[in-house]
């Protein structure tokens, strides 16, 4: 409906649609007209629009304000030292910087140092700066490997903030390390949190109760078990690994009948880790009916007769009946039976022979690979270091001739059962004997920082590769691990390797320069890690001088600190 505007100097009768049309098309193409069709000067259009805007807004109902969120919970942990706070802002800013090209150059990759920085800050027990929580959650959303460390560092305030932004909802269903450790002293608060809390809070609560009262935690889980979602049941069941004992057997036996295959499989795995459980005894009976000593000819060997069927009782105990593509059914079933049987049963079955003696016995009919691989999985599941040592053999032995498995993935799992110092010595010996070409997975299970023989063996092998004239990117994975895992104190000793070596005859063209650049990056990264450690030390107030290789991150990236 047309509106008559009576504002002095604006004698225009027009509708809002007329004003919008004239404004969009221009007064030359669609002039604004006053009463009687008289064309009005263009300047009157804006005056009329201002008056009509006020009138339109005056007719609107005021919007209802949203309720403010509840305040963020307190985080009693101490704040970061100032230098460490600036460093974190620098690392997070570098995360969003696009790479400059395929060649890395001599500067450290700050993005790859974020997990190590977060782990160190968490070990010191610092709380995250409130102003950096959004950037931390964004980093965790983009990189799943950061999530456990980010959520632990962000603490209760990070979880509170994640609840206000749908893009950070991953934090609400993430690891229990991202949730505030609950207080288990109040039974009513425990009951309420277990029944009403977020998933991450409930996982944290179950873990906390499990540490103090294993039976109480199991009873709490049993009370709501039938109403939990399958994926939640799996996570809750996994929490029973901590403090697993024979008292959990009845609950786990009932879980063998769960409607979720993954839950059934996890329950069977936990039961097989209890050597006195009924499932372990059933698996031992089945496995020893298939694997027996053979004394034909006087010498003892191992005879294998794989099962001919996978019956319902075997399936209930966790044996998967259908093998993966390319695997035979009988060997697939045999492997699962041996894997789930207590390792102690073989010593009894073979006259008291040790694991070292058992793995050297000949195995008939080509079953050695399948049997040894199953023993490897059993040693990992049962965390048995004696069997792990026997199956690994001497590090100097070529993998194809070893007593266990040639799979580097399986060897890495076996190594993880050994004490960290023994693990590092074994890998150092492997690298000294076989070089770096097959060592990447093995290095991944060694404790950080590498020190002593392991660090020296890695650096010596890299130096040998450099002298051979090969390109450094052939060892980029190991070099990346060295940047993150070598002891920062090694930086000065490695500085001699940053020079460009003479290229031997037959070497790849320009390889020396690339190696020099790679070692410069390694040394500058180690020095930067040393500076980061110093900044995180309690009482640190001084900001250390900028080290070599940090130029990439200075300037605008530090303006946000």
């Amino acid at each position: 409906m047309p509106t008559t505007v009576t504002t002095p100097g604006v004698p225009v009768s027009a509708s809002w649609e007329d004003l919008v049309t004239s404004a969009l098309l221009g007064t030359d193409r669609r002039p604004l007209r006053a009463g009687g069709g008289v064309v009005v000067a263009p300047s009157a259009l804006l005056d009329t629009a201002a008056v009509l805007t006020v009138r339109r807004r005056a007719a609107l109902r005021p919007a209802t304000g949203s309720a403010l969120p509840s305040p963020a919970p307190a985080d009693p942990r101490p704040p970061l030292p100032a230098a460490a706070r600036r460093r974190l802002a620098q690392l997070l800013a570098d995360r969003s910087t696009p790479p400059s090209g395929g060649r890395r150059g001599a500067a450290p990759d700050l993005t790859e140092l974020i997990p190590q920085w977060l782990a160190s800050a968490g070990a010191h027990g610092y709380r995250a700066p409130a102003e950096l929580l959004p950037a931390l959650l964004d980093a965790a959303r983009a990189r799943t490997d950061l999530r456990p460390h980010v959520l632990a560092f962000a603490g209760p305030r990070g979880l509170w903030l994640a609840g206000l932004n749908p893009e950070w909802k991953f934090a609400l269903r993430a690891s229990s390390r991202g949730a505030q450790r609950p207080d288990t002293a109040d039974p009513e608060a425990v009951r309420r949190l277990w029944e009403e809390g977020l998933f991450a809070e409930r996982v944290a609560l179950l873990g906390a109760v499990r540490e103090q009262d294993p039976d109480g935690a199991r009873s709490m889980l049993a009370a709501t078990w039938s109403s939990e979602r399958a994926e939640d049941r799996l996570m809750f069941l996994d929490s029973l690994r901590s403090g697993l004992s024979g008292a959990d057997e009845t609950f786990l036996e009932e879980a063998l009948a769960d409607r979720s295959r993954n839950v059934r499989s996890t329950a069977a795995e936990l039961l097989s880790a209890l050597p006195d459980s009924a499932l372990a005894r059933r698996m031992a009976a089945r496995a020893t009916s298939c694997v027996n000593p053979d004394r034909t000819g006087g010498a003892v060997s191992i005879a294998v007769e794989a099962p001919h069927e996978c019956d319902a009782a075997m399936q209930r105990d966790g044996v998967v009946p259908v093998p993966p593509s390319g695997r035979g059914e009988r060997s697939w079933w045999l492997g699962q039976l041996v894997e789930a049987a207590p390792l102690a049963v073989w010593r009894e079955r073979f006259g008291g022979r040790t694991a070292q003696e058992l793995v050297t016995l000949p195995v008939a009919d080509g079953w050695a690979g399948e049997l040894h691989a199953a023993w490897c999985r059993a040693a990992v599941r049962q965390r048995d270091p004696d069997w792990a040592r026997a199956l690994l053999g001497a590090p100097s032995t070529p993998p194809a001739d070893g007593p266990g498995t040639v799979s580097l993935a399986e060897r890495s799992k076996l190594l993880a059962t050994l004490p960290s110092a023994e693990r590092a010595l074994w890998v150092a010996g492997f690298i000294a004997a076989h070089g770096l070409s097959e060592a990447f997975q093995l290095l991944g299970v060694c404790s950080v920082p590498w020190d002593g023989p392991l660090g020296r063996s890695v650096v010596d092998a890299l130096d040998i590769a450099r002298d051979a004239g090969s390109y450094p990117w052939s060892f980029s994975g190991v070099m990346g691990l060295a940047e993150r895992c070598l002891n920062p104190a090694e930086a000065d000793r490695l500085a001699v390797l940053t020079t460009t070596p003479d290229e031997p005859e037959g070497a790849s063209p320009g390889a020396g320069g690339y190696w020099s650049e790679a070692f410069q990056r390694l040394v500058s990264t180690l020095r930067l890690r040393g500076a980061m450690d110093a900044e995180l030390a309690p009482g640190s107030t001084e900001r250390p001088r900028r080290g070599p290789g940090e130029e990439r991150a200075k300037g605008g990236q530090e303006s946000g600190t």
Side-chain angles (χ1 to χ4, degrees), residues 238-250:
D238 200 60
S239 70
L240 298 185
R241 294 181 190 276
S242 175
L244 183 67
S245 71
D248 300 314
E249 182 178 358
T250 301

Side-chain angles (χ1 to χ4, degrees), residues 62-118:
T64 302
S66 300
L68 293 176
S70 59
D75 190 338
R77 295 176 296 176
L80 276 173
R85 187 173 64 252
R86 289 191 292 267
R87 179 72 67 187
L88 175 59
Q90 179 187 16
L91 295 175
L92 293 172
D94 188 80
R95 182 185 68 84
S96 59
T97 303
S100 57
R103 185 165 176 173
R104 289 184 57 190
D109 186 345
L110 301 188
T111 301
E112 292 305 313
L113 294 178
I114 293 178
Q116 190 167 20
W117 189 98
L118 289 169

Side-chain angles (χ1 to χ4, degrees), residues 3-322:
T3 301
T4 301
V5 180
T6 59
T7 303
V10 194
V12 179
S13 175
S15 68
W16 180 257
E17 289 74 17
D18 292 335
L19 286 168
V20 172
T21 302
S22 294
L24 291 175
L25 298 180
T27 54
D28 290 340
R29 297 177 61 188
R30 185 65 60 89
L32 186 66
R33 299 181 181 276
V38 178
V39 176
V40 180
S43 59
L45 183 145
L46 296 180
D47 294 335
T48 304
V51 173
L52 292 184
T53 297
V54 172
R55 290 184 177 181
R56 286 167 60 87
R57 289 179 177 174
L60 293 177
R61 291 183 177 180
T64 302
S66 300
L68 293 176
S70 59
D75 190 338
R77 295 176 296 176
L80 276 173
R85 187 173 64 252
R86 289 191 292 267
R87 179 72 67 187
L88 175 59
Q90 179 187 16
L91 295 175
L92 293 172
D94 188 80
R95 182 185 68 84
S96 59
T97 303
S100 57
R103 185 165 176 173
R104 289 184 57 190
D109 186 345
L110 301 188
T111 301
E112 292 305 313
L113 294 178
I114 293 178
Q116 190 167 20
W117 189 98
L118 289 169
S120 297
H124 284 293
Y126 293 121
R127 71 169 181 261
E131 69 274 14
L132 294 180
L133 285 175
L136 282 165
L137 290 170
D138 278 341
R141 180 169 63 93
R143 285 180 56 178
T144 56
D145 64 308
L146 291 180
R147 291 180 183 178
H149 288 309
V150 164
L151 294 179
F153 181 52
R157 290 184 172 183
L159 198 63
W160 170 85
L161 188 61
L164 303 177
N165 186 344
E167 292 188 350
W168 299 329
K169 64 182 179 181
F170 68 87
L172 306 181
R173 294 192 57 80
S175 165
S176 60
R177 284 179 288 180
Q180 185 180 17
R181 184 172 180 82
D183 181 9
T184 59
D186 184 352
E188 178 59 26
V190 168
R191 183 197 62 78
R192 187 166 56 252
L193 183 59
W194 178 249
E195 294 178 355
E196 303 173 5
L198 298 170
F199 176 74
E201 294 173 327
R202 299 180 72 212
V203 172
L205 175 65
L206 187 62
V209 175
R210 179 75 174 174
E211 289 180 7
Q212 300 175 10
D213 182 8
D215 293 340
R218 187 179 58 254
S219 298
M220 187 172 69
L221 178 57
T224 61
W225 180 258
S226 60
S227 62
E228 304 287 356
R229 302 190 312 168
E231 56 267 35
D232 293 351
R233 292 200 305 277
L234 183 62
M235 288 291 292
F236 290 142
L237 193 64
D238 200 60
S239 70
L240 298 185
R241 294 181 190 276
S242 175
L244 183 67
S245 71
D248 300 314
E249 182 178 358
T250 301
F251 178 81
L252 293 173
E253 278 282 348
E254 293 174 356
L256 289 176
D258 195 88
R259 56 186 179 274
S260 167
R261 186 180 68 179
N262 290 333
V263 171
R264 295 196 302 269
S265 176
T266 301
E269 179 187 346
L270 292 173
L271 284 167
S272 67
L274 295 171
D276 295 327
S277 68
L279 180 137
R281 293 194 296 271
R282 293 194 296 269
M283 287 299 196
R286 293 172 181 132
T288 53
S289 70
C290 298
V291 180
N292 287 284
D294 183 355
R295 294 180 173 82
T296 303
V300 177
S301 62
I302 300 177
V304 176
E305 178 67 26
H308 292 273
E309 64 173 342
C310 182
D311 57 30
M314 288 170 60
Q315 294 181 43
R316 183 183 181 277
D317 284 347
V319 178
V320 179
V322 180

Side-chain angles (χ1 to χ4, degrees), residues 329-421:
E329 284 185 336
R330 297 181 66 199
S331 64
W332 172 245
W333 300 333
L334 173 72
Q336 293 180 79
L337 296 181
V338 173
E339 176 183 355
L343 287 166
V345 75
W346 303 114
R347 185 183 183 102
E348 177 184 346
R349 194 70 170 175
F350 283 82
R353 285 178 171 82
T354 64
Q356 190 76 40
E357 293 169 330
L358 282 167
V359 299
T360 60
L361 291 177
V363 183
D365 302 324
W367 283 102
E370 187 67 48
L371 179 61
H372 287 178
W375 276 343
C376 286
R377 296 192 297 274
V380 171
R381 179 182 291 191
Q382 298 171 39
R383 310 297 298 172
D384 192 312
D386 290 335
W387 273 87
R389 294 185 189 100
L391 291 161
L392 282 167
S396 58
T397 303
D401 300 332
T405 173
V406 298
S407 166
L408 290 175
E410 291 289 345
R411 285 176 162 235
S412 299
K413 294 175 182 177
L414 288 170
L415 280 169
T417 68
L418 302 179
S420 59

